[in-house]
């Protein structure tokens, strides 16, 4: 029997059971095979092939330019690496809004061509038709409320959302709607911790936070941010576990020096 068969995979049922027994869910982004292999080996529960690839991989200012073809390429690389984690793929901007037929077609391409386990999309009531249509095809859907980066030009800034009562009430309503529609989980991005706690207590599905405090069912970060590969992005909610930008820059400088001085390769490093 191969090693793949012996590992208990994470499913939507496992994630919901984790919420029920109050076990926190860990989630990170991944966009390529090598990084996904490391994160999966470490025991991460969910890997998100996020449209943040548009920022951290492609260098765009927003998540809007990334295409469905790009997302599928990243998702294929991640799925090939994973033995245990549940792999969720972001539906990119323009692939689901205002058109549930398009939403289903985009989802089917992701699921067929990458082998991922579910999709994520941003928004509440305004994307409910798309969510229902995708769910009717048997594909698990993760919602995303609060700061939804695909709407950056509507918001105008990346600052904390739902600080005002009206927006907070709408967010709570949207979270309940996502649960009723059948989403298996909801991401809350950059909202007050008290509101996030209220949402987590009001729905039966796992609520995963990013900049939403500790009283939710799990946490997600962009891997390049938590590993310190991105250097200039320093929001309050981010905890850096490594300073890879500096470490990799230093290693590169040492390599350049070894090449220039003729120190590399030495006698043992050649044939
Ligand atoms: O694309 C992404 O990385 C995300 C996370 C910030 C949740 O949506």
């Amino acid at each position: 029997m191969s090693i793949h068969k012996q590992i208990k995979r994470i499913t939507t049922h496992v994630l919901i059971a984790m919420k029920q027994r109050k076990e926190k869910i860990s989630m990170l982004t991944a966009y390529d095979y090598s990084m996904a292999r490391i994160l999966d080996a470490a025991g991460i529960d969910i890997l998100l092939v996020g449209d943040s690839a548009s920022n951290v991989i492609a260098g765009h200012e927003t998540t809007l330019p990334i295409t469905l073809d790009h997302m599928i390429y990243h998702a294929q690389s991640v799925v090939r690496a994973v033995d245990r984690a549940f792999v969720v793929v972001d539906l990119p901007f323009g692939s689901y809004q205002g058109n549930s037929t398009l939403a289903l077609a985009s989802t089917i391409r992701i699921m067929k061509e990458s082998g991922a386990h579910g999709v994520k999309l941003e928004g509440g009531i305004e994307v409910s038709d798309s969510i229902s249509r995708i769910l009717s095809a048997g594909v698990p859907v993760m919602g995303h409320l609060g700061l939804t980066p695909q709407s950056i030009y509507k918001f105008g800034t990346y600052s904390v959302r739902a600080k005002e009562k009206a927006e907070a009430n709408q967010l709570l309503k949207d979270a309940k709607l996502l649960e009723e529609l059948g989403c298996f989980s909801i991401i809350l991005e950059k909202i007050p911790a008290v509101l996030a706690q209220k949402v987590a207590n009001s729905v039966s599905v796992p609520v995963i936070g990013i900049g939403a405090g500790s009283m939710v069912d799990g946490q997600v970060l962009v891997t390049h941010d938590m590993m310190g590969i991105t250097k200039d992005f320093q929001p309050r909610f981010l905890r850096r576990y490594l300073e890879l930008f500096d470490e990799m820059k230093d290693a590169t400088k040492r390599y350049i020096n070894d090449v220039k001085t003729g120190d590399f390769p030495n006698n043992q490093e050649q044939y």
Side-chain angles (χ1 to χ4, degrees), residues 29 31 48 50-53 90 120 122 144 187 189 210 220 222:
T29 61
Y31 320 101
L48 171 65
D51 59 359
S52 49
D90 260 332
K120 174 167 87 59
E122 297 181 4
H144 184 157
I187 297 269
E189 181 164 352
I210 173 164
V220 57
V222 170

Side-chain angles (χ1 to χ4, degrees), residues 224-225 228-234 240 243 245-246:
H224 287 59
D225 298 335
I229 297 172
T230 51
K231 204 172 162 55
D232 301 329
F233 185 61
Q234 306 266 8
R240 285 198 198 284
E243 293 294 345
F245 185 99
D246 293 332

Side-chain angles (χ1 to χ4, degrees), residues 10-11 13 21 37-38 41 92 133 143 149 156 166 169 175 181 237:
I10 302 291
T11 64
H13 302 280
R21 62 173 183 268
R37 197 104 196 104
I38 297 169
R133 195 78 183 265
N169 287 344
L181 291 172
F237 67 77

Side-chain angles (χ1 to χ4, degrees), residues 26-261:
S26 61
M27 174 168 169
L28 283 169
T29 61
Y31 320 101
D32 70 274
Y33 176 86
S34 302
M35 185 70 88
R37 197 104 196 104
I38 297 169
L39 306 179
D40 190 56
I44 200 77
D45 297 315
I46 306 177
L47 280 179
L48 171 65
V49 183
D51 59 359
S52 49
S54 181
N55 310 111
V56 298
I57 301 296
H60 292 294
E61 206 173 302
T62 72
T63 57
L64 274 63
I66 200 162
T67 67
L68 186 59
D69 284 338
H70 293 144
M71 292 303 297
I72 290 170
Y73 169 78
H74 290 300
Q76 287 168 336
S77 311
V78 169
V79 168
R80 269 181 226 124
V82 163
D83 290 324
R84 176 181 176 274
F86 189 81
V87 180
V88 181
V89 182
D90 260 332
L91 281 164
F93 178 68
S95 73
Y96 64 94
Q97 290 96 338
N99 184 338
S100 64
T101 307
L102 176 66
L104 181 58
S106 305
T107 300
I108 287 176
R109 276 204 62 203
I110 289 175
M111 300 300 285
K112 259 190 192 299
E113 295 178 35
S114 77
H117 312 135
V119 295
K120 174 167 87 59
L121 50 77
E122 297 181 4
I125 179 112
E126 69 279 15
V127 289
S128 58
D129 287 349
S130 292
I131 292 175
S132 299
R133 195 78 183 265
I134 297 167
L135 286 166
S136 73
V139 177
V141 177
M142 177 180 263
H144 184 157
L145 299 172
L147 177 63
T148 46
Q150 291 179 14
S151 303
I152 184 57
Y153 292 116
K154 181 176 91 179
F155 297 145
T157 99
Y158 285 102
S159 54
V160 180
R161 301 304 314 172
K163 289 207 295 204
E164 306 304 328
K165 204 165 179 186
E167 194 179 335
N169 287 344
Q170 185 57 47
L171 188 145
L172 192 55
K173 265 198 215 160
D174 280 337
K176 287 183 182 159
L177 175 67
L178 295 185
E179 179 195 28
E180 265 165 41
L181 291 172
C183 289
F184 75 93
S185 175
I186 301 168
I187 297 269
L188 295 180
E189 181 164 352
K190 228 172 169 188
I191 64 166
V194 172
L195 175 61
Q197 179 178 12
K198 198 165 172 189
V199 173
N201 290 340
S202 307
V203 297
S204 58
V205 296
V207 170
I208 317 278
I210 173 164
S214 62
M215 299 307 286
V216 288
D217 307 304
Q219 299 292 329
V220 57
L221 285 175
V222 170
T223 297
H224 287 59
D225 298 335
M226 68 78 90
M227 297 289 188
I229 297 172
T230 51
K231 204 172 162 55
D232 301 329
F233 185 61
Q234 306 266 8
R236 172 176 170 163
F237 67 77
L238 175 62
R239 184 179 294 181
R240 285 198 198 284
Y241 288 80
L242 285 173
E243 293 294 345
L244 278 188
F245 185 99
D246 293 332
E247 286 179 47
M248 291 175 80
K249 187 172 150 200
D250 184 54
T252 308
K253 278 185 172 173
R254 288 191 284 119
Y255 169 74
I256 293 169
N257 185 61
D258 289 351
V259 170
K260 301 261 183 208
T261 59

